Coordinates of all heavy atoms in Angstrom, one line a residue:
M35 N -172.4 -103.5 -215.6 CA -171.7 -102.5 -214.8 C -171.0 -103.0 -213.6 O -169.9 -102.8 -213.3 CB -172.7 -101.3 -214.6 CG -172.0 -100.2 -213.8 SD -170.8 -99.4 -215.0 CE -170.3 -98.0 -214.0
K36 N -171.9 -103.9 -212.9 CA -171.4 -104.5 -211.6 C -170.1 -105.4 -212.0 O -169.2 -105.4 -211.2 CB -172.4 -105.4 -211.1 CG -173.0 -105.0 -209.8 CD -174.0 -106.1 -209.3 CE -174.6 -105.5 -208.0 NZ -175.6 -106.3 -207.4
R37 N -170.1 -106.2 -213.0 CA -169.0 -107.0 -213.4 C -167.8 -106.2 -213.7 O -166.7 -106.7 -213.3 CB -169.4 -107.8 -214.6 CG -170.4 -109.0 -214.4 CD -170.6 -109.7 -215.7 NE -171.7 -110.7 -215.4 CZ -172.0 -111.6 -216.3 NH1 -171.5 -111.7 -217.4 NH2 -173.0 -112.5 -216.0
M38 N -168.0 -105.0 -214.3 CA -166.8 -104.1 -214.7 C -166.2 -103.6 -213.4 O -164.9 -103.6 -213.3 CB -167.3 -103.0 -215.6 CG -166.1 -102.1 -216.0 SD -165.0 -103.0 -216.9 CE -165.4 -102.5 -218.6
L39 N -167.0 -103.3 -212.3 CA -166.5 -102.8 -211.1 C -165.8 -103.9 -210.4 O -164.7 -103.7 -209.8 CB -167.7 -102.2 -210.3 CG -168.2 -100.9 -210.8 CD1 -169.4 -100.5 -209.8 CD2 -167.2 -99.8 -210.7
I40 N -166.3 -105.0 -210.4 CA -165.7 -106.3 -209.7 C -164.3 -106.5 -210.4 O -163.3 -106.7 -209.8 CB -166.6 -107.5 -209.7 CG1 -167.8 -107.2 -208.8 CG2 -165.8 -108.7 -209.4 CD1 -168.9 -108.3 -208.9
L41 N -164.3 -106.6 -211.8 CA -163.1 -106.7 -212.4 C -162.0 -105.7 -212.2 O -160.9 -106.1 -212.0 CB -163.4 -106.8 -214.0 CG -162.3 -107.1 -214.9 CD1 -161.9 -108.5 -214.6 CD2 -162.7 -107.2 -216.4
I42 N -162.5 -104.5 -212.2 CA -161.4 -103.4 -211.8 C -160.9 -103.5 -210.4 O -159.8 -103.4 -210.1 CB -162.2 -101.9 -212.0 CG1 -162.4 -101.7 -213.5 CG2 -161.3 -100.9 -211.3 CD1 -163.3 -100.4 -213.8
G43 N -161.8 -104.0 -209.5 CA -161.3 -104.2 -208.0 C -160.3 -105.4 -208.0 O -159.3 -105.3 -207.2
I44 N -160.5 -106.5 -208.8 CA -159.6 -107.5 -208.8 C -158.2 -107.2 -209.4 O -157.2 -107.4 -208.9 CB -160.2 -108.7 -209.5 CG1 -161.5 -109.4 -208.7 CG2 -159.3 -109.8 -209.8 CD1 -162.2 -110.5 -209.5
L45 N -158.3 -106.4 -210.4 CA -157.2 -105.8 -211.1 C -156.3 -105.0 -210.2 O -155.1 -105.1 -210.0 CB -157.6 -105.1 -212.3 CG -156.4 -104.6 -213.1 CD1 -155.5 -105.7 -213.7 CD2 -156.9 -103.8 -214.4
C46 N -157.0 -104.1 -209.5 CA -156.3 -103.2 -208.5 C -155.7 -104.1 -207.4 O -154.5 -103.8 -207.0 CB -157.2 -102.2 -208.0 SG -157.7 -101.0 -209.0
A47 N -156.3 -105.1 -206.9 CA -155.8 -106.0 -205.8 C -154.5 -106.7 -206.4 O -153.6 -106.9 -205.5 CB -156.7 -106.9 -205.4
M48 N -154.6 -107.2 -207.5 CA -153.4 -107.9 -208.2 C -152.2 -106.9 -208.3 O -151.1 -107.3 -208.0 CB -153.8 -108.5 -209.5 CG -154.7 -109.7 -209.4 SD -155.4 -110.4 -210.9 CE -153.8 -110.7 -211.8
L49 N -152.6 -105.7 -208.8 CA -151.4 -104.7 -209.1 C -150.8 -104.4 -207.6 O -149.5 -104.3 -207.6 CB -151.9 -103.5 -209.7 CG -152.2 -103.8 -211.1 CD1 -152.8 -102.4 -211.7 CD2 -151.0 -104.2 -211.9
T50 N -151.5 -104.3 -206.5 CA -151.1 -103.9 -205.3 C -150.1 -105.1 -204.7 O -149.2 -104.8 -204.2 CB -152.3 -103.8 -204.4 OG1 -153.1 -102.6 -204.9 CG2 -151.7 -103.3 -202.9
G51 N -150.6 -106.4 -204.9 CA -149.8 -107.4 -204.6 C -148.4 -107.5 -205.3 O -147.4 -107.8 -204.6
C52 N -148.4 -107.2 -206.5 CA -147.1 -107.1 -207.2 C -146.1 -106.1 -206.7 O -144.9 -106.3 -206.6 CB -147.3 -106.9 -208.7 SG -148.2 -108.3 -209.6
N53 N -146.8 -105.0 -206.4 CA -145.9 -103.8 -205.8 C -145.4 -104.2 -204.4 O -144.3 -103.8 -204.0 CB -146.7 -102.6 -205.7 CG -146.9 -101.9 -207.1 OD1 -146.2 -102.2 -208.0 ND2 -147.9 -101.1 -207.2
A54 N -146.1 -105.0 -203.7 CA -145.6 -105.4 -202.3 C -144.4 -106.2 -202.4 O -143.5 -106.2 -201.6 CB -146.8 -106.3 -201.6
E55 N -144.3 -107.3 -203.4 CA -143.1 -108.0 -203.6 C -142.0 -107.1 -204.0 O -140.8 -107.3 -203.4 CB -143.4 -109.0 -204.6 CG -144.3 -110.2 -204.2 CD -144.4 -111.2 -205.3 OE1 -143.7 -111.2 -206.3 OE2 -145.3 -112.2 -205.1
E56 N -142.2 -106.2 -204.8 CA -141.1 -105.3 -205.3 C -140.5 -104.4 -204.2 O -139.4 -104.3 -203.9 CB -141.5 -104.4 -206.4 CG -141.8 -105.2 -207.7 CD -142.4 -104.2 -208.8 OE1 -142.4 -102.9 -208.6 OE2 -142.8 -104.7 -209.7
D57 N -141.4 -103.9 -203.2 CA -141.0 -103.1 -202.1 C -140.2 -104.1 -201.1 O -139.3 -103.6 -200.5 CB -142.3 -102.6 -201.3 CG -143.0 -101.5 -202.2 OD1 -142.3 -101.0 -203.1 OD2 -144.1 -101.2 -201.9
E58 N -140.7 -105.2 -200.9 CA -139.9 -106.2 -199.9 C -138.5 -106.4 -200.4 O -137.6 -106.5 -199.7 CB -140.8 -107.5 -199.9 CG -140.2 -108.4 -198.7 CD -141.2 -109.5 -198.7 OE1 -142.4 -109.5 -198.8 OE2 -140.7 -110.6 -198.4
M59 N -138.3 -106.5 -201.7 CA -136.9 -106.8 -202.2 C -136.1 -105.6 -202.1 O -134.8 -105.7 -202.2 CB -136.9 -107.2 -203.7 CG -137.6 -108.7 -203.9 SD -137.4 -109.3 -205.4 CE -139.0 -108.8 -206.1
K60 N -136.6 -104.4 -202.0 CA -135.8 -103.1 -201.8 C -135.2 -103.1 -200.4 O -134.2 -102.4 -200.2 CB -136.7 -101.9 -202.1 CG -137.0 -101.7 -203.5 CD -137.9 -100.6 -203.7 CE -138.6 -100.4 -205.1 NZ -139.4 -99.3 -205.2
G61 N -135.8 -103.7 -199.5 CA -135.4 -103.8 -198.1 C -134.2 -104.7 -197.9 O -133.5 -105.2 -198.9
E62 N -133.9 -105.1 -196.7 CA -132.8 -106.0 -196.4 C -133.0 -107.4 -196.8 O -134.3 -107.8 -196.6 CB -132.5 -105.9 -194.9 CG -132.0 -104.6 -194.5 CD -131.5 -104.5 -193.0 OE1 -131.1 -105.5 -192.4 OE2 -131.6 -103.4 -192.5
A63 N -132.1 -108.2 -197.2 CA -132.3 -109.5 -197.5 C -132.7 -110.3 -196.2 O -132.1 -109.9 -195.2 CB -131.0 -110.1 -198.1
Q64 N -133.5 -111.3 -196.3 CA -133.8 -112.1 -195.1 C -132.7 -113.2 -194.8 O -132.6 -113.7 -193.7 CB -135.2 -112.8 -195.3 CG -136.3 -111.9 -195.2 CD -136.8 -111.4 -196.7 OE1 -136.1 -111.6 -197.6 NE2 -137.9 -110.7 -196.7
I65 N -132.1 -113.6 -195.9 CA -131.0 -114.7 -195.7 C -129.8 -114.2 -196.3 O -129.7 -113.8 -197.5 CB -131.4 -116.0 -196.3 CG1 -132.8 -116.5 -195.7 CG2 -130.3 -117.1 -196.2 CD1 -133.4 -117.6 -196.4
I66 N -128.6 -114.2 -195.5 CA -127.4 -113.8 -196.1 C -126.3 -114.9 -195.6 O -126.2 -115.3 -194.4 CB -127.0 -112.5 -195.5 CG1 -127.9 -111.3 -195.8 CG2 -125.4 -112.1 -196.0 CD1 -127.7 -110.1 -195.1
G67 N -125.6 -115.4 -196.6 CA -124.7 -116.5 -196.3 C -124.0 -117.1 -197.6 O -123.9 -116.5 -198.6
T68 N -123.3 -118.3 -197.2 CA -122.5 -118.9 -198.3 C -123.2 -120.2 -198.8 O -123.7 -120.9 -198.0 CB -121.2 -119.3 -197.7 OG1 -120.6 -118.1 -197.2 CG2 -120.2 -119.7 -198.8
V69 N -123.3 -120.3 -200.1 CA -123.8 -121.5 -200.9 C -122.8 -122.7 -200.4 O -121.7 -122.6 -200.7 CB -123.9 -121.4 -202.3 CG1 -124.3 -122.7 -203.0 CG2 -124.8 -120.2 -202.7
T70 N -123.5 -123.7 -199.8 CA -122.6 -124.9 -199.5 C -123.1 -126.2 -200.2 O -122.3 -127.2 -200.2 CB -122.7 -125.1 -197.9 OG1 -124.2 -125.4 -197.6 CG2 -122.2 -124.0 -197.1
D71 N -124.1 -126.1 -200.9 CA -124.6 -127.3 -201.7 C -125.7 -126.9 -202.8 O -126.3 -125.8 -202.4 CB -125.3 -128.4 -200.7 CG -125.4 -129.7 -201.3 OD1 -124.9 -129.9 -202.5 OD2 -125.8 -130.8 -200.6
I72 N -125.8 -127.6 -203.8 CA -126.8 -127.2 -204.9 C -127.4 -128.6 -205.2 O -126.7 -129.5 -205.5 CB -126.0 -126.6 -206.0 CG1 -125.3 -125.4 -205.6 CG2 -127.0 -126.4 -207.2 CD1 -124.4 -124.8 -206.7
R73 N -128.7 -128.6 -205.0 CA -129.5 -129.9 -205.5 C -130.8 -129.4 -206.1 O -131.6 -128.6 -205.5 CB -129.8 -130.7 -204.3 CG -128.6 -131.4 -203.8 CD -128.9 -132.4 -202.7 NE -127.8 -132.6 -202.0 CZ -127.8 -133.2 -200.7 NH1 -129.0 -133.6 -200.2 NH2 -126.7 -133.6 -200.2
S74 N -131.3 -130.1 -207.2 CA -132.5 -129.9 -207.9 C -133.4 -128.7 -207.7 O -134.3 -128.6 -207.0 CB -133.5 -131.1 -207.4 OG -133.3 -131.7 -206.2
G75 N -132.8 -127.6 -208.2 CA -133.4 -126.3 -208.2 C -133.3 -125.5 -206.8 O -133.9 -124.5 -206.7
S76 N -132.5 -126.0 -206.0 CA -132.3 -125.3 -204.7 C -130.8 -125.2 -204.3 O -130.1 -126.0 -204.7 CB -133.1 -126.0 -203.5 OG -134.4 -126.1 -203.8
I77 N -130.5 -124.2 -203.5 CA -129.3 -124.0 -202.9 C -129.3 -124.1 -201.4 O -130.3 -123.7 -200.8 CB -128.5 -122.7 -203.4 CG1 -129.4 -121.5 -202.9 CG2 -128.3 -122.7 -204.9 CD1 -128.7 -120.1 -203.3
L78 N -128.2 -124.7 -200.9 CA -128.2 -124.7 -199.3 C -127.2 -123.6 -198.9 O -126.2 -123.5 -199.4 CB -127.6 -126.1 -198.9 CG -127.4 -126.3 -197.4 CD1 -128.9 -126.3 -196.7 CD2 -126.8 -127.6 -197.1
V79 N -127.8 -122.6 -198.2 CA -127.1 -121.5 -197.6 C -126.8 -121.6 -196.3 O -127.7 -121.9 -195.3 CB -127.9 -120.2 -198.0 CG1 -127.2 -119.0 -197.5 CG2 -128.3 -120.1 -199.4
E80 N -125.5 -121.4 -195.9 CA -125.1 -121.3 -194.5 C -124.9 -120.0 -194.1 O -124.2 -119.2 -194.6 CB -123.8 -122.2 -194.3 CG -123.4 -122.2 -192.9 CD -122.0 -122.9 -192.6 OE1 -121.5 -123.6 -193.7 OE2 -121.6 -123.1 -191.5
E81 N -125.8 -119.5 -193.1 CA -125.7 -118.2 -192.7 C -124.5 -118.1 -191.7 O -123.9 -118.9 -191.2 CB -127.1 -117.8 -191.9 CG -128.2 -117.9 -192.9 CD -129.5 -117.4 -192.2 OE1 -130.1 -118.4 -191.6 OE2 -129.8 -116.3 -192.3
E82 N -124.2 -116.7 -191.3 CA -123.1 -116.4 -190.4 C -123.3 -117.1 -189.0 O -122.1 -117.6 -188.5 CB -123.0 -115.0 -190.2 CG -122.5 -114.2 -191.4 CD -122.2 -112.7 -191.1 OE1 -122.4 -112.4 -190.0 OE2 -122.0 -112.0 -192.1
D83 N -124.4 -117.3 -188.5 CA -124.6 -118.1 -187.2 C -124.6 -119.6 -187.4 O -125.0 -120.3 -186.6 CB -125.9 -117.6 -186.6 CG -127.1 -117.8 -187.3 OD1 -127.0 -118.4 -188.6 OD2 -128.1 -117.4 -186.8
S84 N -124.1 -120.1 -188.6 CA -124.0 -121.6 -188.9 C -125.4 -122.2 -189.1 O -125.4 -123.4 -189.3 CB -123.2 -122.4 -187.9 OG -121.9 -121.8 -187.8
E85 N -126.4 -121.4 -189.2 CA -127.8 -122.0 -189.5 C -127.7 -122.3 -191.0 O -127.3 -121.5 -191.9 CB -128.9 -121.0 -189.2 CG -129.0 -120.7 -187.8 CD -129.8 -121.9 -187.0 OE1 -130.6 -122.6 -187.7 OE2 -129.5 -122.2 -186.0
L86 N -128.3 -123.4 -191.3 CA -128.5 -123.8 -192.7 C -129.9 -123.7 -193.2 O -130.9 -123.9 -192.5 CB -128.1 -125.3 -192.9 CG -126.7 -125.6 -192.7 CD1 -126.4 -127.2 -192.6 CD2 -125.7 -125.0 -193.7
V87 N -130.2 -123.2 -194.4 CA -131.4 -123.1 -195.0 C -131.4 -123.4 -196.5 O -130.5 -123.0 -197.3 CB -131.9 -121.5 -195.1 CG1 -133.4 -121.4 -195.6 CG2 -131.9 -121.0 -193.6
W88 N -132.3 -124.4 -196.9 CA -132.6 -124.7 -198.4 C -133.2 -123.5 -198.9 O -134.4 -123.2 -198.4 CB -133.2 -126.0 -198.5 CG -132.3 -127.3 -198.4 CD1 -132.3 -128.1 -197.4 CD2 -131.3 -127.6 -199.4 NE1 -131.3 -129.1 -197.7 CE2 -130.6 -128.8 -198.8 CE3 -130.9 -127.1 -200.6 CZ2 -129.7 -129.4 -199.5 CZ3 -129.8 -127.8 -201.3 CH2 -129.3 -128.9 -200.7
V89 N -132.9 -123.0 -200.0 CA -133.5 -121.9 -200.7 C -133.9 -122.4 -202.1 O -132.9 -122.7 -202.9 CB -132.6 -120.7 -200.8 CG1 -133.3 -119.5 -201.5 CG2 -132.3 -120.2 -199.3
K90 N -135.1 -122.3 -202.4 CA -135.6 -122.7 -203.8 C -135.3 -121.5 -204.7 O -135.8 -120.4 -204.4 CB -137.1 -123.0 -203.8 CG -137.6 -123.4 -205.2 CD -138.9 -124.2 -205.1 CE -139.4 -124.6 -206.5 NZ -138.6 -125.0 -207.4
V91 N -134.5 -121.7 -205.9 CA -134.2 -120.7 -206.7 C -135.4 -120.2 -207.6 O -136.3 -121.0 -207.8 CB -133.1 -121.3 -207.7 CG1 -132.9 -120.3 -208.8 CG2 -131.9 -121.6 -207.0
P92 N -135.7 -118.9 -207.7 CA -136.9 -118.4 -208.5 C -136.9 -119.0 -209.9 O -135.8 -119.3 -210.5 CB -136.6 -116.9 -208.6 CG -135.5 -116.6 -207.6 CD -134.8 -117.8 -207.4
E93 N -138.1 -119.2 -210.4 CA -138.2 -119.9 -211.7 C -137.6 -119.2 -212.8 O -137.2 -119.7 -213.8 CB -139.8 -120.1 -212.0 CG -140.4 -121.1 -211.1 CD -141.9 -121.3 -211.4 OE1 -142.3 -120.9 -212.5 OE2 -142.5 -122.0 -210.6
A94 N -137.5 -117.8 -212.7 CA -137.0 -117.0 -213.8 C -135.4 -117.1 -213.7 O -134.7 -116.4 -214.6 CB -137.4 -115.5 -213.5
D95 N -134.9 -117.7 -212.7 CA -133.5 -117.8 -212.6 C -132.9 -119.3 -213.0 O -133.8 -120.1 -213.2 CB -133.1 -117.6 -211.2 CG -131.7 -117.1 -210.9 OD1 -130.9 -117.1 -211.9 OD2 -131.4 -116.5 -209.9
F96 N -131.6 -119.4 -213.2 CA -131.1 -120.7 -213.5 C -130.3 -121.2 -212.4 O -129.4 -120.5 -211.9 CB -130.3 -120.6 -214.9 CG -131.2 -120.2 -216.0 CD1 -131.2 -118.9 -216.5 CD2 -132.0 -121.3 -216.5 CE1 -131.9 -118.6 -217.4 CE2 -132.8 -120.9 -217.6 CZ -132.8 -119.6 -218.1
I97 N -130.3 -122.5 -212.0 CA -129.5 -123.0 -210.9 C -128.1 -123.0 -211.2 O -127.2 -123.0 -210.5 CB -130.0 -124.4 -210.6 CG1 -129.5 -124.9 -209.2 CG2 -129.7 -125.4 -211.7 CD1 -130.0 -124.2 -208.0
S98 N -127.7 -123.1 -212.6 CA -126.4 -123.0 -213.0 C -125.7 -121.6 -212.8 O -124.4 -121.6 -212.9 CB -126.3 -123.3 -214.6 OG -127.1 -122.4 -215.3
N99 N -126.5 -120.6 -212.4 CA -125.9 -119.3 -212.0 C -125.2 -119.4 -210.6 O -124.5 -118.4 -210.2 CB -126.9 -118.3 -211.9 CG -127.5 -117.9 -213.2 OD1 -126.9 -118.3 -214.3 ND2 -128.6 -117.3 -213.3
Y100 N -125.3 -120.5 -209.9 CA -124.8 -120.6 -208.5 C -123.7 -121.6 -208.5 O -123.8 -122.7 -209.1 CB -125.9 -120.9 -207.5 CG -127.0 -119.8 -207.6 CD1 -128.2 -120.0 -208.4 CD2 -126.8 -118.5 -207.1 CE1 -129.1 -118.9 -208.7 CE2 -127.8 -117.5 -207.4 CZ -128.9 -117.7 -208.1 OH -129.8 -116.8 -208.3
E101 N -122.8 -121.3 -207.5 CA -121.6 -122.2 -207.3 C -121.4 -122.4 -205.8 O -121.6 -121.4 -205.1 CB -120.3 -121.8 -208.0 CG -120.5 -121.6 -209.5 CD -119.3 -121.0 -210.1 OE1 -118.3 -120.8 -209.4 OE2 -119.2 -120.9 -211.3
V102 N -121.0 -123.5 -205.3 CA -120.6 -123.6 -203.9 C -119.5 -122.7 -203.7 O -118.6 -122.4 -204.5 CB -120.1 -125.1 -203.7 CG1 -119.5 -125.2 -202.4 CG2 -121.3 -126.1 -203.9
G103 N -119.7 -122.0 -202.6 CA -118.7 -121.0 -202.1 C -119.1 -119.5 -202.3 O -118.5 -118.6 -201.8
Q104 N -120.1 -119.4 -203.0 CA -120.5 -118.0 -203.4 C -121.2 -117.4 -202.2 O -122.0 -118.1 -201.6 CB -121.5 -117.9 -204.6 CG -120.8 -118.1 -205.9 CD -121.8 -118.1 -207.0 OE1 -122.9 -118.7 -206.9 NE2 -121.5 -117.5 -208.3
E105 N -121.1 -116.1 -202.0 CA -121.8 -115.4 -200.9 C -123.1 -114.8 -201.6 O -123.0 -114.3 -202.6 CB -121.0 -114.3 -200.3 CG -121.8 -113.6 -199.1 CD -120.9 -112.5 -198.5 OE1 -119.7 -112.4 -198.7 OE2 -121.5 -111.8 -197.7
V106 N -124.3 -115.0 -201.0 CA -125.5 -114.7 -201.5 C -126.3 -113.8 -200.5 O -126.3 -114.1 -199.3 CB -126.3 -115.8 -202.1 CG1 -125.8 -116.5 -203.3 CG2 -126.5 -116.8 -201.0
F107 N -127.2 -113.0 -201.1 CA -128.2 -112.2 -200.4 C -129.5 -112.8 -200.9 O -129.7 -112.8 -202.2 CB -128.2 -110.7 -200.5 CG -127.0 -110.1 -199.9 CD1 -126.8 -108.7 -200.0 CD2 -126.1 -110.6 -199.0 CE1 -125.8 -108.1 -199.5 CE2 -125.1 -110.1 -198.4 CZ -124.8 -108.7 -198.7
V108 N -130.4 -113.3 -200.1 CA -131.7 -113.8 -200.6 C -132.9 -113.1 -200.0 O -133.0 -112.9 -198.7 CB -131.8 -115.3 -200.1 CG1 -133.1 -115.9 -200.6 CG2 -130.6 -116.0 -200.6
W109 N -133.7 -112.7 -201.0 CA -135.1 -112.1 -200.5 C -136.1 -113.2 -200.6 O -136.1 -113.9 -201.8 CB -135.4 -110.9 -201.3 CG -134.6 -109.8 -201.1 CD1 -135.0 -108.6 -200.3 CD2 -133.3 -109.4 -201.6 NE1 -134.1 -107.7 -200.2 CE2 -132.9 -108.1 -201.0 CE3 -132.3 -110.1 -202.3 CZ2 -131.8 -107.5 -201.3 CZ3 -131.2 -109.5 -202.6 CH2 -130.8 -108.1 -202.1
T110 N -137.0 -113.4 -199.7 CA -137.8 -114.6 -199.8 C -139.3 -114.1 -199.7 O -139.6 -112.8 -199.5 CB -137.7 -115.5 -198.5 OG1 -138.1 -114.9 -197.3 CG2 -136.3 -116.0 -198.3
N111 N -140.2 -115.0 -199.8 CA -141.6 -114.7 -199.7 C -142.0 -114.5 -198.3 O -143.2 -114.3 -198.0 CB -142.5 -115.7 -200.5 CG -142.5 -117.1 -199.8 OD1 -141.7 -117.3 -198.9 ND2 -143.2 -118.0 -200.4
G112 N -141.2 -114.6 -197.3 CA -141.5 -114.4 -195.9 C -141.8 -115.7 -195.2 O -141.9 -115.7 -194.0
E113 N -142.0 -116.8 -196.0 CA -142.3 -117.9 -195.2 C -141.1 -118.9 -195.1 O -140.3 -119.1 -195.9 CB -143.5 -118.8 -196.1 CG -144.7 -118.1 -196.2 CD -145.8 -118.8 -197.1 OE1 -145.5 -120.0 -197.3 OE2 -146.6 -118.2 -197.5
L114 N -140.9 -119.5 -193.9 CA -139.9 -120.5 -193.6 C -140.5 -121.8 -193.3 O -141.2 -121.9 -192.3 CB -139.0 -119.9 -192.5 CG -137.6 -120.6 -192.3 CD1 -136.8 -120.4 -193.6 CD2 -136.9 -120.0 -191.2
M115 N -140.3 -122.8 -194.1 CA -141.0 -124.0 -193.9 C -140.2 -124.8 -192.9 O -139.0 -124.9 -192.9 CB -141.0 -124.9 -195.3 CG -142.0 -124.2 -196.3 SD -141.9 -125.0 -197.9 CE -140.9 -123.7 -198.7
E116 N -140.9 -125.4 -192.0 CA -140.3 -126.1 -190.9 C -139.8 -127.5 -191.4 O -140.7 -128.4 -191.7 CB -141.3 -126.3 -189.7 CG -141.6 -125.0 -189.1 CD -142.6 -125.2 -187.8 OE1 -142.6 -126.3 -187.3 OE2 -143.2 -124.2 -187.5
S117 N -138.5 -127.6 -191.4 CA -137.9 -128.9 -191.8 C -136.5 -128.9 -191.2 O -136.1 -127.9 -190.7 CB -138.0 -129.2 -193.4 OG -137.2 -128.1 -194.0
N118 N -135.7 -129.9 -191.5 CA -134.3 -129.9 -191.0 C -133.4 -130.1 -192.1 O -133.3 -131.3 -192.6 CB -134.2 -130.8 -189.9 CG -132.8 -130.6 -189.2 OD1 -132.2 -129.7 -189.3 ND2 -132.5 -131.6 -188.3
P119 N -132.7 -129.1 -192.7 CA -132.8 -127.7 -192.5 C -134.0 -127.1 -193.0 O -134.6 -127.7 -193.8 CB -131.5 -127.1 -193.1 CG -131.1 -128.1 -194.1 CD -131.7 -129.4 -193.7
P120 N -134.4 -125.8 -192.5 CA -135.6 -125.1 -192.9 C -135.5 -124.9 -194.4 O -134.3 -124.8 -194.9 CB -135.6 -123.8 -192.1 CG -134.6 -124.1 -191.1 CD -133.7 -125.1 -191.4
Q121 N -136.6 -124.6 -195.1 CA -136.6 -124.4 -196.6 C -137.4 -123.1 -196.8 O -138.3 -122.6 -196.0 CB -137.4 -125.5 -197.3 CG -136.7 -126.8 -197.1 CD -137.8 -127.8 -197.7 OE1 -138.3 -127.6 -198.8 NE2 -137.8 -129.0 -197.0
A122 N -136.9 -122.2 -197.7 CA -137.6 -121.0 -198.1 C -137.6 -120.8 -199.6 O -136.9 -121.6 -200.3 CB -136.7 -119.8 -197.5
I123 N -138.7 -120.1 -200.0 CA -138.7 -119.7 -201.5 C -138.2 -118.4 -201.8 O -138.7 -117.4 -201.3 CB -140.3 -120.0 -201.9 CG1 -140.7 -121.3 -201.6 CG2 -140.3 -119.6 -203.4 CD1 -142.1 -121.6 -202.0
A124 N -137.2 -118.3 -202.7 CA -136.6 -117.1 -202.9 C -137.4 -116.2 -204.1 O -137.9 -116.8 -205.0 CB -135.2 -117.2 -203.5
L125 N -137.6 -114.9 -203.8 CA -138.1 -114.1 -204.8 C -137.0 -113.6 -205.7 O -137.1 -113.3 -206.9 CB -138.8 -112.9 -204.1 CG -140.0 -113.2 -203.3 CD1 -140.6 -112.0 -202.6 CD2 -141.1 -114.0 -204.2
Q126 N -135.8 -113.3 -204.9 CA -134.6 -112.8 -205.7 C -133.4 -113.2 -205.0 O -133.3 -113.3 -203.7 CB -134.6 -111.2 -205.7 CG -133.4 -110.6 -206.4 CD -133.7 -109.1 -206.5 OE1 -134.7 -108.5 -206.1 NE2 -132.6 -108.5 -206.7
I127 N -132.3 -113.5 -205.7 CA -131.0 -113.9 -205.1 C -130.0 -113.0 -205.7 O -129.9 -113.0 -206.9 CB -130.7 -115.4 -205.3 CG1 -131.8 -116.3 -204.7 CG2 -129.4 -115.8 -204.7 CD1 -131.6 -117.8 -205.1
H128 N -129.2 -112.4 -204.9 CA -128.1 -111.5 -205.4 C -126.7 -112.3 -205.0 O -126.5 -112.5 -203.8 CB -128.1 -110.2 -204.8 CG -126.9 -109.4 -205.2 ND1 -126.8 -108.8 -206.5 CD2 -126.0 -108.8 -204.5 CE1 -125.6 -108.1 -206.5 NE2 -125.1 -108.2 -205.2
V129 N -125.9 -112.6 -205.9 CA -124.5 -113.1 -205.7 C -123.6 -112.0 -205.4 O -123.4 -111.1 -206.2 CB -124.0 -114.0 -206.9 CG1 -122.6 -114.6 -206.6 CG2 -124.9 -115.2 -207.1
V130 N -122.9 -112.0 -204.3 CA -122.0 -110.9 -203.8 C -120.7 -111.0 -204.5 O -120.2 -110.1 -205.1 CB -121.9 -110.8 -202.3 CG1 -120.9 -109.8 -201.9 CG2 -123.2 -110.7 -201.7
N131 N -120.0 -112.2 -204.4 CA -118.6 -112.4 -204.9 C -118.5 -113.2 -206.2 O -118.3 -114.3 -206.2 CB -117.7 -113.0 -203.9 CG -118.3 -114.4 -203.3 OD1 -119.4 -114.8 -203.8 ND2 -117.5 -115.0 -202.5
E132 N -118.9 -112.5 -207.3 CA -118.9 -113.3 -208.6 C -117.5 -113.2 -209.2 O -116.8 -112.3 -209.1 CB -119.8 -112.6 -209.6 CG -121.3 -112.9 -209.2 CD -122.3 -112.5 -210.4 OE1 -122.3 -113.3 -211.4 OE2 -122.9 -111.6 -210.2

């Protein structure tokens, strides 16, 4: 019985975590800009303030969906890795001008 309760608790925690990611994507995108470069599973996005960010494309997506010059909205996992330029992991990318 104890094992069953623990299993149910873990399952509930996992489901709550999945819903948190979906709710985050409903809000505003964290990165908005233009694709300026594409390399090994990542796109380089130049934001309006000329800041550059490397964005790792989600595994469920294909790098071939992106082209230099496209405007994109990017929802991330909230972490920005310190490098030059910074790096982020995308949960979802929306291309504005297809």
Side-chain angles (χ1 to χ4, degrees):
M35 183 67 177
K36 243 184 190 180
R37 287 184 185 181
M38 184 61 101
L39 289 175
I40 291 172
L41 186 60
I42 290 172
I44 292 172
L45 183 60
C46 288
M48 289 173 55
L49 291 174
T50 303
C52 292
N53 288 337
E55 285 183 10
E56 289 174 11
D57 290 342
E58 192 172 318
M59 286 185 272
K60 291 178 187 173
E62 293 183 28
Q64 288 93 354
I65 301 170
I66 301 172
T68 305
V69 176
T70 59
D71 197 359
I72 301 171
R73 292 188 195 164
S74 31
S76 296
I77 57 175
L78 183 62
V79 178
E80 182 175 359
E81 297 181 274
E82 288 183 7
D83 60 0
S84 298
E85 290 287 326
L86 296 171
V87 180
W88 277 109
V89 177
K90 181 160 177 46
V91 173
E93 289 183 17
D95 207 345
F96 297 102
I97 195 71
S98 60
N99 292 341
Y100 304 100
E101 298 174 5
V102 171
Q104 289 177 319
E105 186 177 347
V106 292
F107 290 175
V108 181
W109 287 262
T110 69
N111 64 358
E113 295 178 21
L114 194 60
M115 293 171 255
E116 293 183 26
S117 62
N118 191 14
Q121 299 174 42
I123 298 173
L125 298 175
Q126 179 179 347
I127 301 173
H128 174 73
V129 177
V130 177
N131 57 354
E132 285 192 78

